[in-house]
Amino acid sequence: MTLLAFTFLLALLPAESASSRYPPKAAISSPVFGPQQVYGLLNGSVTVKCFYPPTRVNRHDRKYWCRQSATSCMTVVSSSGYTAPGYQGRASIIDSPQAENFQISMSELTMADAGTYQCGIGVNGRGLSYKVSLEVSEGPHVPEGAELFYVKLHSTLTVTCSFGEAYASKRKFLCKMVKSGCHNIIDSYGNVDKYYTGRALLSNEDTPGSFSIMITQMDWEDSGLYLCGAGVYGESGETKELDVHVYEEANVPQGKPTIFGVKGSSVTFECHYGALKTSTVRYWCKWRQQGCARIIDSSGYVSNLYEGRVAMYDNPDNKTMTIILNQLKDSDKGYYWCMAEDKKEQQSSTELKIIDGEPGLKGKKEVEVQVGSRVDLTCSYPCKYYSYQKYWCKWSSTSCTPMPASDQRQPGPDVTCDTDNKTVILSFASVAKTDEGWYWCGVKHNGIFGETMAVYLWVTEGSGASHNLELLGVDPPSRAEPPSRAEGGFIPQGRAYSDAGVQSPADSESSGESHGPNTLVLSLSCVGAVLLILVTAFAVFKYRQLKRSDLVSVGSYRTNISMSDFESVKEYSASNNACMKESQETQIGGDEFVTTTATPESAAETKKAKRSSKEDADLAYSAFLLTSSSIAQGGCSGDSAAPAASPSSEEGRI
Amino acid sequence: AGFKVFFLDPGIAYPVLAGYPWDSQDKEYVLVNNKCQCVTVTSKFVPSKENPNEEILERNIRILVPLKARENISDPMSPLRTTFVYRMTELCRKCDPVEIELGGEIYQAQQSTSCNEPETCYTYNRDKCYTTTFPFLHHGQVKDVKAVLTPASCYAE
């Protein structure tokens, strides 16, 4: 039943929600990434670095470097110990699973070495590879290849480019290569492409002529060639090529890209930082066209505009930094970045959108008392926070220090949420001047910070509400009161009337209530209008969905099954078989991917069966019993029906 | 001779196409990536043959049939599979729970019904470890011993 409700609710969600977004084809193409073009000198050497997602199977699987020919890809060197004759001592492969890459080095290059190669994982020609083109020239100058960046989906790309002192004062830019040239993304003059608003930041480094660019929330479409440069593309200056590839890794905690905050209430941002144990200053800032305006940082600085509104909590165990921003206004919407001064740390960004609604925690937002008197700050919470931890804390620019407060929850088995007294009270027996300041009432659940509400406590000397009239009428700017709050509107409205009698909270409560009947009518008509809009929106959306559904496109399937597919799919791997009579390691079974008209194939093929026949079961059985060397001999001479013994038995990987 | 359907409503294009307009690459999107039966379905807009000014939605279905597979991929002694059945409704099912936000709370929601039916796989998923047991004769005793069918996927972390 709840499932039905959820699917029903899903239908009502706006189109941009994750459920209706489809990943582009790049998402299922090969996640192995390497340089497109490598240049080498005659008799020189060249190193090729290929990246792969560090999943458990990828880390242990065979890595290979093979030379592509018309029919197949012949292994030159592989991580299971094979080196083709002709390349002995010239080619080597080193796998670095922690660094998510493997490196191939080829030395003593000859002109015959130029051509197309593939670096890959698993079985040759199954698609989990990347095509690398090697050019050998006589020299003396060899062009520099592009710099490779392998970025996790939704994480941040950080690029540093330096061009020397001569370019220190020139325009710096980053642009993406498209068919018609290079499309500008961000430059040092403050121009930002609108699709990168809030996501991209350019900042100058200390050394003159060098700068760094950060792009957060990297998506599939961000893969491709980029140019970072100084000057103007196509006209003057220098550029450096960057090749960026986005890959997906499952089960990685990432911050949410968009957070919705209710006006008047609070939001909690979570920033995950990397495993680097640097004790760098971390800060939180709001994205602007010219840079990022710092709001709060871990050294205790809080921007004046945000006094009493923002707090930062560090949780080194989870490697998470939590930032709470309350008293939300419409102007708070935008992009917020979690940054660290050390650029090597993980930076991330989140978009904040403000929606209208009712805050969960309610209470007086400003309380004014005289020195020495007794005061209670109350905070009432709704049923949804019934089981959460509640707290009161005193806000300061370094942190919000918890204060002992009493939860008015009544003990006993008969008490349910509706009947219970849902308030938390912070009491002061005798208020002192030092107690003046911001206090926060908040909820916490499973160690995660939830909603908060801020209250300002005014402590006045001596007597006379009339004195306070002038004082409070000339509101100091650090109070940060949003005038649009509904329930907190008593006191500010009271003050606007400059009426001495309206100063005390009790009086302004009554004035608030006199507006009661009018607000009731207003709210009823609003609700009616909203319902009408919702119904029409639902009808429109359902109609559009109907048009989009599978039923309509029944006639337009085009299948791509060809006879060659049936012949060529054989599960045996190209093995580094020491017993093979031929001098080259050849592919058994067709190479579907290596054809003259090859187009990038999906990696789906490689993720499936490698072995599923009786011969393999036999081999697994015999491998268990005997050592690897004796299997090799036995497999070669005796078993002609199994052409390529699986690599596991050959190389002793039992 | 099927009929072609024209998707003229730009509203449909909006939620599906999320690339940058200035990036004129042909945008092809993945609808199905089923590793169990080894099928991928992608779709893109192509100009219609009848009227080049209009675009129609073309779906590319790619099926790789593992001809040497066994009926039960976890049992190498089972007979060779000779029947492969592919159903679009089964392939298009989205059974992975998706996180959605409602009223400030995150919920996990499943997008399709009938997700409880077991799926017969025709081929191995590279991220899973497949094992089988076989009778092993040792010192005159026959024991059932576990053997690995996909070694690369079966390493501990």
Side-chain angles (χ1 to χ4, degrees):
Chain A
M1 197 51 225
T2 38
L3 176 67
L4 220 65
F6 279 137
T7 46
F8 175 82
L9 284 165
L10 266 180
L12 287 175
L13 284 175
E16 298 93 67
S17 70
S19 53
S20 58
R21 255 197 81 166
Y22 293 104
K25 194 167 176 197
I28 55 168
S29 54
S30 173
V32 177
F33 176 58
Q36 284 180 20
Q37 192 80 32
V38 180
Y39 303 93
L41 278 174
L42 201 58
N43 268 330
S45 65
V46 80
T47 310
V48 177
K49 201 188 265 200
C50 285
F51 297 87
Y52 58 89
T55 59
R56 186 184 65 178
V57 57
N58 283 346
R59 281 203 295 261
H60 291 105
D61 211 349
R62 162 183 179 261
K63 319 286 185 307
Y64 63 87
W65 171 249
C66 66
R67 184 152 186 185
Q68 198 173 311
S69 68
T71 49
S72 65
C73 194
M74 317 243 240
T75 310
V76 169
V77 62
S78 88
S79 66
S80 26
Y82 174 79
T83 312
Y87 292 93
Q88 302 275 359
R90 283 216 291 144
S92 68
I93 190 167
I94 302 166
D95 188 11
S96 318
Q98 304 82 10
E100 304 173 2
N101 67 55
F102 59 100
Q103 276 194 19
I104 298 118
S105 326
M106 286 199 4
S107 56
E108 291 158 45
L109 292 171
T110 63
M111 292 311 278
D113 288 327
T116 317
Y117 292 78
Q118 279 187 25
C119 65
I121 300 181
V123 175
N124 289 25
R126 287 285 175 253
L128 203 58
S129 59
Y130 196 85
K131 241 178 247 193
V132 179
S133 164
L134 173 67
E135 257 184 47
V136 181
S137 62
E138 304 206 357
H141 290 297
V142 167
E144 200 188 320
E147 193 176 337
L148 302 180
F149 292 90
Y150 199 53
V151 202
K152 219 180 294 199
L153 188 66
H154 303 314
S155 76
T156 308
L157 167 73
T158 310
V159 176
T160 311
C161 298
S162 37
F163 295 101
E165 280 204 45
Y167 293 96
S169 54
K170 288 237 161 63
R171 165 184 178 258
K172 322 233 177 24
F173 65 92
L174 175 79
C175 62
K176 186 162 199 257
M177 293 296 290
V178 289
K179 282 198 198 113
S180 51
C182 196
H183 183 96
N184 198 53
I185 292 172
I186 186 169
D187 68 12
S188 51
Y189 291 167
N191 300 318
V192 181
D193 178 83
K194 67 173 171 166
Y195 293 95
Y196 288 84
T197 309
R199 287 177 52 197
L201 264 186
L202 192 151
S203 47
N204 285 312
E205 294 280 311
D206 297 325
T207 39
S210 71
F211 59 100
S212 71
I213 296 151
M214 278 181 277
I215 304 180
T216 59
Q217 303 293 340
M218 288 294 282
D219 205 346
W220 297 110
E221 281 92 12
D222 294 318
S223 293
L225 274 174
Y226 290 77
L227 283 180
C228 78
V232 180
Y233 171 72
E235 288 170 34
S236 63
E238 267 188 43
T239 57
K240 184 164 99 159
E241 235 185 12
L242 317 163
D243 202 350
V244 177
H245 191 95
V246 176
Y247 72 97
E248 185 166 21
E249 197 179 328
N251 308 326
V252 175
Q254 295 291 344
K256 290 192 283 287
T258 314
I259 289 184
F260 292 90
V262 175
K263 203 152 48 172
S265 174
S266 77
V267 276
T268 311
F269 291 86
E270 277 189 9
C271 302
H272 302 267
Y273 47 87
L276 297 169
K277 286 230 67 176
T278 50
S279 55
T280 170
V281 170
R282 293 177 205 283
Y283 59 96
W284 191 64
C285 58
K286 188 168 182 188
W287 185 89
R288 301 214 187 289
Q289 203 99 4
Q290 310 80 4
C292 197
R294 195 181 288 215
I295 296 173
I296 183 171
D297 73 25
S298 50
S299 66
Y301 163 80
V302 174
S303 158
N304 286 337
L305 300 163
Y306 290 85
E307 188 152 322
R309 294 183 60 191
V310 64
M312 196 180 212
Y313 296 93
D314 190 4
N315 187 347
D317 303 322
N318 282 352
K319 299 198 179 53
T320 311
M321 184 79 80
T322 310
I323 288 121
I324 304 178
L325 178 70
N326 59 26
Q327 300 166 62
L328 290 176
K329 323 189 258 279
D330 276 326
S331 58
D332 286 325
K333 72 170 196 274
Y335 296 84
Y336 292 85
W337 285 53
C338 299
M339 314 247 284
E341 290 197 342
D342 182 359
K343 286 279 155 46
K344 291 192 210 59
E345 280 278 353
Q346 164 100 284
Q347 333 272 4
S348 58
S349 77
T350 316
E351 189 186 357
L352 174 65
K353 289 195 171 144
I354 305 287
I355 54 174
D356 287 317
E358 271 294 309
L361 300 174
K362 299 200 200 340
K364 289 200 208 56
K365 298 294 194 295
E366 287 179 30
V367 176
E368 192 219 320
V369 282
Q370 292 184 22
V371 172
S373 54
R374 198 182 173 286
V375 71
D376 281 342
L377 298 177
T378 53
C379 170
S380 43
Y381 54 89
C383 276
K384 69 177 177 186
Y385 294 142
Y386 197 59
S387 56
Y388 289 21
Q389 252 183 301
K390 292 126 201 116
Y391 63 91
W392 270 99
C393 64
K394 185 175 197 313
W395 185 89
S396 70
S397 66
T398 42
S399 68
C400 194
T401 31
M403 302 203 68
S406 62
D407 188 348
Q408 298 301 88
R409 207 203 288 203
Q410 292 155 24
D414 290 339
V415 180
T416 60
C417 178
D418 290 325
T419 60
D420 202 354
N421 186 6
K422 305 187 286 282
T423 51
V424 190
I425 298 180
L426 179 66
S427 313
F428 293 88
S430 168
V431 159
K433 189 72 183 157
T434 50
D435 288 328
E436 189 174 72
W438 287 99
Y439 290 85
W440 282 17
C441 154
V443 294
K444 219 172 141 170
H445 185 62
N446 288 340
I448 299 172
F449 287 94
E451 199 180 328
T452 59
M453 183 192 77
V455 180
Y456 196 82
L457 180 67
W458 288 98
V459 179
T460 58
E461 315 276 354
S463 61
S466 51
H467 289 256
N468 302 331
L469 170 60
E470 288 103 46
L471 255 172
L472 298 166
V474 189
D475 236 346
S478 66
R479 292 282 297 283
E481 282 174 58
S484 57
R485 277 176 306 173
E487 67 289 327
F490 312 146
I491 298 167
Q493 278 173 17
R495 224 160 263 129
Y497 296 134
S498 292
D499 194 346
V502 198
Q503 281 319 305
S504 64
D507 281 350
S508 36
E509 251 179 87
S510 60
S511 69
E513 278 164 28
S514 68
H515 298 286
N518 288 345
T519 48
L520 189 63
V521 170
L522 199 64
S523 56
L524 271 178
S525 53
C526 279
V527 167
V530 164
L531 268 174
L532 195 66
I533 293 168
L534 267 179
V535 166
T536 43
F538 177 57
V540 167
F541 191 91
K542 266 299 181 198
Y543 169 65
R544 279 168 59 175
Q545 247 207 359
L546 266 173
K547 281 190 76 178
R548 243 193 282 154
S549 71
D550 267 358
L551 299 169
V552 189
S553 60
V554 130
S556 60
Y557 291 136
R558 243 207 255 168
T559 54
N560 276 338
I561 304 176
S562 66
M563 284 314 292
S564 60
D565 284 359
F566 287 115
E567 290 163 49
S568 64
V569 180
K570 292 197 188 137
E571 257 60 50
Y572 296 111
S573 55
S575 67
N576 308 320
N577 189 343
C579 288
M580 293 289 281
K581 300 295 180 257
E582 298 89 337
S583 57
Q584 281 168 334
E585 195 193 60
T586 50
Q587 185 72 0
I588 304 296
D591 241 336
E592 193 195 341
F593 297 104
V594 185
T595 57
T596 46
T597 57
T599 48
E601 305 289 347
S602 74
E605 218 219 326
T606 55
K607 294 190 179 77
K608 54 153 172 73
K610 294 188 279 221
R611 297 166 269 282
S612 53
S613 68
K614 188 171 190 302
E615 289 96 290
D616 276 324
D618 283 342
L619 284 167
Y621 175 78
S622 52
F624 184 82
L625 299 171
L626 308 169
T627 59
S628 56
S629 51
S630 46
I631 291 168
Q633 269 112 42
C636 253
S637 48
D639 199 356
S640 56
S646 54
S648 58
S649 59
E650 289 303 334
E651 289 102 37
R653 263 198 285 158
I654 296 161
Chain B
F3 60 93
K4 290 188 178 68
V5 184
F6 297 91
F7 285 83
L8 297 175
D9 179 6
I12 289 164
Y14 173 66
V16 174
L17 300 179
Y20 308 125
W22 42 261
D23 199 348
S24 53
Q25 289 170 318
D26 292 315
K27 297 184 180 51
E28 198 165 349
Y29 294 88
V30 177
L31 302 174
V32 168
N33 181 17
N34 189 314
K35 298 188 188 179
C36 176
Q37 301 196 326
C38 206
V39 176
T40 65
V41 177
T42 58
S43 70
K44 65 178 182 188
F45 281 103
V46 292
S48 145
K49 297 230 170 30
E50 280 102 49
N51 185 353
N53 290 332
E54 278 174 303
E55 287 200 321
I56 55 162
L57 189 70
E58 175 190 273
R59 287 199 205 197
N60 289 312
I61 304 172
R62 188 166 177 274
I63 303 175
L64 271 132
V65 185
L67 294 176
K68 300 266 186 171
R70 300 272 154 182
E71 292 263 336
N72 178 2
I73 58 172
S74 292
D75 179 13
M77 305 302 206
S78 55
L80 276 176
R81 180 178 278 278
T82 49
T83 313
F84 297 86
V85 179
Y86 300 94
R87 291 202 175 88
M88 277 307 283
T89 46
E90 276 174 27
L91 295 168
C92 289
R93 259 201 312 229
K94 292 196 203 186
C95 283
D96 300 326
V98 137
E99 279 192 0
I100 56 165
E101 174 146 4
L102 289 170
E105 300 284 327
I106 310 286
Y107 298 101
Q108 296 244 319
Q110 196 180 65
Q111 292 176 249
S112 299
T113 52
S114 30
C115 278
N116 292 330
E117 289 154 24
E119 223 182 343
T120 42
C121 290
Y122 300 148
T123 180
Y124 296 124
N125 182 337
R126 197 159 168 271
D127 295 315
K128 292 196 189 149
C129 177
Y130 294 86
T131 60
T132 185
T133 59
F134 64 95
F136 171 48
L137 180 66
H138 179 65
H139 290 334
Q141 264 196 313
V142 174
K143 283 193 283 203
D144 265 333
V145 173
K146 210 168 168 187
V148 152
L149 296 170
T150 53
S153 316
C154 294
Y155 284 84
E157 269 299 318

